[in-house]
């Protein structure tokens, strides 16, 4: 089974309804703090089944660096779940986010640490603020194999690595389709307790024509990301200017050394070496990972802006049609 799991690509993530409710409850109750938790389930063929989960304890400033307690807590929780015959195989973790701001270096490092023991782990991203509007803002992501190969080792993306691996800013994360599934007993119970169809306040709020606060927040986040992108471009420009200045200085020093060696040879003296590694040390290249993550984040915010704007335009067109029909 292991051989099949390693060879077949992951195509689908199947989320149990109970696990989704636990994730939403934990993320919503902890707002505005960001929280994480463990995902449990089974890895079968091209489908990763998430059947259960449990939250990680929230760390405070006094608990920083005390990782032993967190590891013991996970082991104890998995032992307790095993005793009551619940799936206790780790398949990844979940974490909350605010308006899609999850693409960080810490997320990538967590992925790399998980994949040392779990080859096909995933991360469930839950946005409780967007989910409160009536939709389910949950996505499953994983790192692409090409990016992992380039990132492993020193954890720095240089220009050479990017060119060798043909990596772009879109080659970091891969979103896996998510399917929700309930057991037959849960589906039967939901059918029995389904209330009569009545208009609720959340249905009325969907017709509100005012600009959503999330739209304004997204615009603010995009502006901040654009400022960060400009700073990253300035770092790259500064690096290239320093490299060009160093090459010019090295050429001048080499020309001077050759003239000096020609004079020494004319005087019958031994020539000096024309390579001084201590004088011209290579300038460290800025990490391209930050630039890629910022670009990914801007793309996510733009997608959300497009979705929110489309909803607002559709409501405006609907109200305009109703007014023209004198309803």
């Amino acid at each position: 089974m292991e051989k099949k799991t390693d060879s077949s690509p992951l195509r689908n993530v199947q989320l149990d309804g109970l696990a989704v409710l636990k994730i939403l409850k934990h993320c919503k109750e902890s707002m505005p703090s960001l929280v994480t938790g463990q995902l449990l389930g089974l890895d079968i063929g091209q489908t990763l089944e998430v059947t259960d989960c449990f939250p990680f304890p929230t760390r405070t400033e006094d608990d920083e660096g005390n990782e032993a307690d967190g590891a013991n807590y996970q082991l104890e929780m998995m032992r307790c779940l095993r005793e009551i015959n619940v799936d206790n195989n780790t398949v990844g973790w979940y974490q909350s986010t605010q308006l899609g701001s999850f693409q960080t270096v810490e997320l990538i490092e967590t992925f790399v640490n998980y994949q040392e023991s779990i080859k096909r782990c995933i991360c469930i991203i839950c946005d409780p603020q967007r989910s409160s509007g009536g939709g389910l803002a949950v996505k499953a992501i994983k790192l692409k194999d090409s990016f992992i190969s380039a990132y492993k080792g020193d954890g720095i993306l240089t220009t050479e690595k990017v060119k060798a691996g043909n990596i772009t800013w879109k080659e970091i994360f891969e979103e896996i389709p998510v399917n929700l599934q309930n057991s037959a007993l849960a589906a039967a119970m939901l059918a029995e307790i389904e209330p009569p169809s009545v208009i609720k306040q959340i249905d009325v709020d969907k017709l509100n024509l005012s600009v959503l606060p999330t739209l304004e927040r997204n615009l603010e986040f995009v502006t901040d990301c654009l400022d960060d992108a400009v700073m990253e471009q300035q770092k790259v420009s500064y690096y290239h200017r320093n490299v060009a200045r160093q090459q010019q200085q090295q050429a001048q020093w080499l020309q001077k050394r050759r003239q000096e060696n020609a004079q020494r040879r004319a005087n019958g003296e031994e020539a000096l070496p024309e390579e001084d590694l201590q004088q011209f040390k290579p300038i460290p290249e800025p990490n391209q990972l930050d630039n890629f993550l910022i670009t990914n984040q801007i793309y996510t915010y733009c997608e959300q802006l497009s979705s929110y704007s489309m909803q607002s335009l559709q409501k405006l067109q609907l109200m305009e049609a109703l007014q023209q029909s004198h309803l």
Side-chain angles (χ1 to χ4, degrees):
M1 176 67 69
E2 182 128 0
K3 185 183 274 186
K4 182 180 179 182
T5 299
D6 291 340
S7 60
S8 58
L10 184 60
R11 300 295 187 188
N12 182 34
V13 174
Q14 184 173 295
L15 273 177
D16 190 80
L18 178 61
V20 175
L21 291 177
K22 287 184 177 181
I23 293 173
L24 288 174
K25 182 175 183 294
H26 183 209
C27 296
K28 188 174 182 179
E29 289 180 350
S30 303
M31 288 179 62
S33 300
L34 302 180
V35 293
T36 61
Q38 192 89 315
L39 297 177
L40 307 174
L42 299 172
D43 189 357
I44 303 175
Q46 297 183 348
T47 300
L48 193 67
E49 297 183 5
V50 179
T51 57
D52 207 344
C53 64
F54 63 86
F56 290 154
T58 304
R59 288 187 176 184
T60 60
E61 296 181 357
D62 299 334
D63 298 333
E64 289 296 331
N66 194 4
E67 298 180 357
D69 292 343
N72 293 333
Y73 169 79
Q74 296 180 40
L75 294 175
E76 186 66 20
M77 280 293 298
M78 295 176 69
R79 185 187 65 80
C80 295
L81 293 173
R82 183 170 59 251
E83 290 180 354
I84 60 176
N85 199 23
V86 174
D87 291 334
N88 63 333
N89 300 315
T90 302
V91 295
W93 80 100
Y94 70 86
Q95 68 179 48
S96 60
T97 184
Q98 292 183 357
L99 298 179
S101 55
F102 61 88
Q103 295 158 344
T104 60
V105 178
E106 290 76 13
L107 177 64
I108 294 178
E109 292 177 349
T110 307
F111 261 117
V112 173
N113 293 332
Y114 265 84
Q115 289 191 338
E116 291 180 356
S117 56
I118 307 171
K119 297 299 181 183
R120 301 205 307 179
C121 67
I122 62 166
C123 177
I124 300 295
I125 304 295
C126 177
D127 193 336
Q129 186 173 356
R130 292 183 61 192
S131 299
S132 61
L136 181 60
V138 170
K139 65 170 64 176
I141 61 172
K142 64 183 288 290
L143 290 182
K144 290 192 174 183
D145 296 335
S146 58
F147 173 78
I148 295 176
S149 301
Y151 181 79
K152 277 187 175 180
D154 54 3
I156 298 177
L157 278 185
T158 60
T159 305
E160 294 181 358
K161 289 183 179 180
V162 171
K163 290 182 178 179
N166 195 19
I167 300 173
T168 63
W169 61 271
K170 293 183 178 180
E171 301 295 324
I172 300 180
F173 298 105
E174 178 182 358
E175 186 172 350
I176 309 298
V178 176
N179 293 331
L180 300 182
Q181 183 179 13
N182 291 316
S183 64
L185 292 177
M189 184 190 70
L190 291 174
E192 287 292 330
I193 64 176
E194 183 178 2
S197 179
V198 295
I199 298 178
K200 299 180 181 180
Q201 183 62 36
I202 191 172
D203 299 322
V204 178
D205 293 339
K206 291 180 180 179
L207 298 177
N208 189 359
L209 299 180
S210 62
V211 178
L212 296 174
T214 50
L215 188 63
E216 300 177 2
R217 293 283 303 279
N218 265 280
L219 288 173
E220 294 176 359
F221 288 160
V222 169
T223 304
D224 294 338
C225 283
L226 289 175
D227 292 337
D228 294 338
V230 171
M231 292 180 62
E232 290 297 322
Q233 291 177 356
Q234 291 175 352
K235 290 180 182 178
V236 175
S237 300
Y238 182 71
Y239 163 76
H240 287 296
R241 286 198 301 268
N242 287 339
V243 169
R245 186 183 300 111
Q246 187 186 65
Q247 290 176 351
Q248 184 179 4
Q249 294 174 356
Q250 190 172 3
Q252 294 175 354
W253 177 87
L254 183 59
Q255 183 180 3
K256 183 179 179 181
R257 177 58 60 91
R258 286 175 177 174
Q259 293 175 356
E260 184 178 355
N261 284 337
Q263 184 66 31
R264 291 175 70 91
R265 291 190 191 97
N267 297 334
E269 299 176 357
E270 185 179 356
L272 297 174
E274 295 184 356
E275 293 183 1
D276 191 352
L277 300 178
Q278 298 296 328
Q279 185 174 357
F280 297 101
K281 295 182 179 180
I283 301 175
E285 182 180 353
N287 194 353
Q288 297 293 325
L289 180 60
D290 294 333
N291 190 14
F292 282 6
L293 290 176
I294 292 173
T295 307
N296 265 289
Q297 198 63 68
I298 293 175
Y299 179 76
T300 301
Y301 289 146
C302 290
E303 277 194 329
Q304 292 178 172
L305 283 172
S306 177
S307 176
Y308 294 144
S309 302
M310 184 63 67
Q311 293 176 7
S312 300
L313 288 175
Q314 289 174 350
K315 288 189 289 185
L316 289 174
Q317 291 175 356
L318 175 62
M319 295 305 297
E320 182 181 2
L322 290 175
Q323 289 179 355
Q324 290 178 357
S325 59
H326 303 289
L327 291 180

